[in-house]
Amino acid sequence: MMPNRPAVQSDDDALFSRIARRLLPLLFLCYIVAYLDRVNVGFAKLQMAAELQWSDAIYGFGAGIFFLGYFLFEVPSNLLLERVGARRWIARIMISWGLISSLFAFVDRIPWGPLPAMFGVAPDVFGFYALRLLLGVAEAGFFPGIILYLTYWFPAARRARTVAWFMTAIAFANVIGGPLSGLIMDVFDGSGAWSGWRWLFVLEGIPSVFMGVAVLRWLPDGPRQAKWLSEQDREAVERRLAADHEARATQAVGREQVSGGHGPSTVKAAMTDGRVWALAFVYFAGTVSLYGVNFWMPTLIQELGIDRTAYLQVGLLSMIPWGVAGLTMVWAGQNSDRTGERRWHVAGALAVTALGHATLSLVGHAIIPSLIGLALVASGVLAFFGTFWSLPTSFLQRSAAAAGIAWINSIGNLGGHFGPDLIGRVRAATGGTTGAFLALGALALLGMAVTLVVAKPMQVGAGAEVR
């Protein structure tokens, strides 16, 4: 049996590499346009807030309220994906959020009737809050849906590197999105009597609609629907996944048996599993840092001495932290898969994030140290996201996977509300960000501690464990 093992492994490598080459480019592009629509408000803020006379507190709350809508509809969306199929549901998500994102160009012109007065805010502020909330509702289920979708194709031992490659779209979107957003605001400002920020929302929202149509046409729901796989290949994928599930259902690790067979397999079991809640908090600690810095990075860079209308220059400088972060993320995912180690990769990434926040709290407006601090935060959070999902997918199965992944993502993504809102409120109250960075760094360290406790030990695949 031993002499045949390398050949089988080689066949597996070739098959799953071919699957990755067919699926990941489309999913990668989808995540890029999704992420641009989610965070381009950070660049629009450079011009929009001044034009509409919004305070930092208004912007911070509006940027983060996206994640409240995301939270409310995350679990139902992922369960619907499992029911109706990935192709149709992901396409629906992308088309609806692309249309809503484009509506931000009219944020101060949409007639909301008596609603703004009922909430005690100006019509343009209400429009900003309402559209950000609706954008979160529309996008709910996209990311956890993709994570769930990848479990239909890849065994656990290959998942960290696959998710890491997929999630480099965050870094890539920020690397190209910064200069692109700055260029749009520079070039189109004043065209058709529109400010640059209005063009930004329309021109970056339309691609999501086209990508939704592409998903509807080209994304298979699973291996059985992939016409580009032979029947032999489909059976090989199913056998490999079945063997992976069987291994997780029977193998004990350390003193506690945390196999799939003893892990949750129903929606109710997933929602009451302590590990799910603990990992949701860890994910919260990561997203607080990601979106807290992401939504404010253009403003932070502009305040390093960049001219207030040099949007392209701000975008080019924002490439530096995200470029470093993308390389770090890929390395972390590959190294985690190569060694089979998950726990310390996730915890170490949060430690780097905390170090970045500490740096930002100390350096003031010095440009080089500030960019180093931003690079540390970006690298830490992206390395965290690239390896984190190997933890919950190691013990969740069947319907529990759909519900558990969505619940972790929805609870965790509430950090996307509190991060930018915290920075906005601290800036409005103190005129600086030191206190906010220290709080975010402390939360990252707490997430690191919880990871080290809850993920010891946790099986991630045949013969591999979180250690």
Side-chain angles (χ1 to χ4, degrees):
M1 183 173 286
M2 287 300 292
N4 294 329
R5 187 172 179 181
V8 173
Q9 185 65 34
S10 178
D11 289 345
D12 267 4
D13 287 342
L15 174 59
F16 287 111
S17 294
R18 182 152 55 89
I19 290 172
R21 288 195 298 269
R22 291 298 297 257
L23 296 180
L24 290 182
L26 178 60
L27 297 177
F28 186 84
L29 289 174
C30 288
Y31 201 29
I32 286 176
V33 297
Y35 204 78
L36 286 176
D37 284 345
R38 182 185 297 187
V39 303
N40 58 11
V41 68
F43 267 89
K45 184 259 182 188
L46 298 178
Q47 191 180 62
M48 177 176 64
E51 184 174 315
L52 300 179
Q53 298 183 336
W54 291 347
S55 68
D56 282 343
I58 289 174
Y59 166 73
F61 181 79
I65 202 174
F66 167 95
F67 294 96
L68 296 183
Y70 200 82
F71 166 76
L72 292 173
F73 287 86
E74 187 85 317
V75 173
S77 181
N78 226 34
L79 292 174
L80 281 169
L81 181 147
E82 189 183 35
R83 180 181 295 270
V84 307
R87 181 178 61 88
R88 285 183 290 174
W89 196 246
I90 292 173
R92 190 284 305 164
I93 289 172
M94 298 198 66
I95 292 170
S96 61
W97 94 50
L99 294 174
I100 293 172
S101 182
S102 297
L103 286 176
F104 277 87
F106 311 96
V107 67
D108 57 336
R109 301 175 184 180
I110 298 175
W112 295 99
L115 291 176
M118 289 175 57
F119 285 89
V121 296
D124 58 332
V125 175
F126 180 84
F128 181 50
Y129 292 166
L131 287 177
R132 288 294 293 177
L133 184 68
L134 289 173
L135 188 65
V137 171
E139 193 178 325
F142 174 73
F143 177 75
I146 297 297
I147 297 299
L148 177 64
Y149 180 69
L150 293 175
T151 68
Y152 301 163
W153 296 87
F154 298 96
R158 299 173 184 272
R159 226 166 272 156
R161 80 190 79 171
T162 304
V163 172
W165 276 110
F166 166 63
M167 291 192 67
T168 55
I170 296 180
F172 193 77
N174 280 287
V175 168
I176 66 167
L180 178 63
S181 298
L183 185 63
I184 289 173
M185 291 176 64
D186 272 345
V187 172
F188 286 88
D189 190 35
S191 298
W194 269 20
S195 299
W197 64 269
R198 298 185 193 272
W199 284 109
L200 176 65
F201 285 121
V202 171
L203 294 179
E204 291 190 352
I206 291 173
S208 294
V209 177
F210 286 110
M211 289 305 302
V213 175
V215 165
L216 198 59
R217 180 171 181 179
W218 289 310
L219 189 73
D221 283 320
R224 276 286 145 198
Q225 291 74 39
K227 297 179 180 179
W228 37 269
L229 286 179
S230 67
E231 183 63 26
Q232 182 181 4
D233 287 339
R234 295 187 192 108
E235 291 176 356
V237 172
E238 291 173 349
R239 282 196 306 270
R240 182 66 180 86
L241 292 175
D244 189 52
H245 293 159
E246 182 180 354
R248 288 191 286 133
T250 59
Q251 191 175 41
V253 180
R255 294 175 300 175
E256 180 189 7
Q257 193 171 37
V258 291
S259 65
H262 289 75
S265 59
T266 65
V267 173
K268 180 180 179 180
M271 303 297 278
T272 56
D273 191 286
R275 290 168 295 179
V276 170
W277 285 87
L279 291 176
F281 171 78
V282 173
Y283 202 60
F284 177 91
T287 57
V288 162
S289 290
L290 174 64
Y291 293 110
V293 172
N294 200 321
F295 284 129
W296 284 98
M297 188 180 290
T299 298
L300 296 173
I301 289 177
Q302 186 185 62
E303 292 175 349
L304 298 179
I306 310 301
D307 186 90
R308 293 187 63 83
T309 60
Y311 307 119
L312 179 57
Q313 187 177 354
V314 172
L316 291 172
L317 285 174
S318 71
M319 292 174 65
I320 297 172
W322 293 115
V324 173
L327 296 174
T328 303
M329 173 188 246
V330 172
W331 173 84
Q334 290 179 335
N335 192 65
S336 179
D337 275 349
R338 180 181 60 81
T339 62
E341 202 288 316
R342 313 299 192 187
R343 178 169 163 252
W344 283 102
H345 278 78
V346 175
L350 288 172
V352 172
T353 303
L355 177 61
H357 284 304
T359 302
L360 290 173
S361 71
L362 295 172
V363 298
H365 296 306
I367 186 166
I368 299 300
S370 293
L371 288 175
I372 291 173
L374 290 171
L376 286 170
V377 174
S379 296
V381 293
L382 290 198
F384 165 80
F385 283 111
T387 53
F388 171 83
W389 287 105
S390 60
L391 301 184
T393 57
S394 70
F395 66 93
L396 293 168
Q397 57 178 327
R398 297 195 291 275
S399 295
I405 291 170
W407 187 243
I408 289 169
N409 195 60
S410 59
I411 290 290
N413 269 294
L414 286 176
H417 168 70
F418 290 106
D421 186 45
L422 172 65
I423 292 178
R425 292 180 185 276
V426 170
R427 284 171 59 91
T430 68
T433 52
T434 298
F437 287 138
L438 290 175
L440 295 178
L443 190 59
L445 289 177
L446 185 56
M448 178 191 73
V450 173
T451 299
L452 292 176
V453 172
V454 76
K456 183 183 181 180
M458 190 178 289
Q459 187 175 319
V460 298
E465 67 176 77
V466 178
R467 56 182 187 268

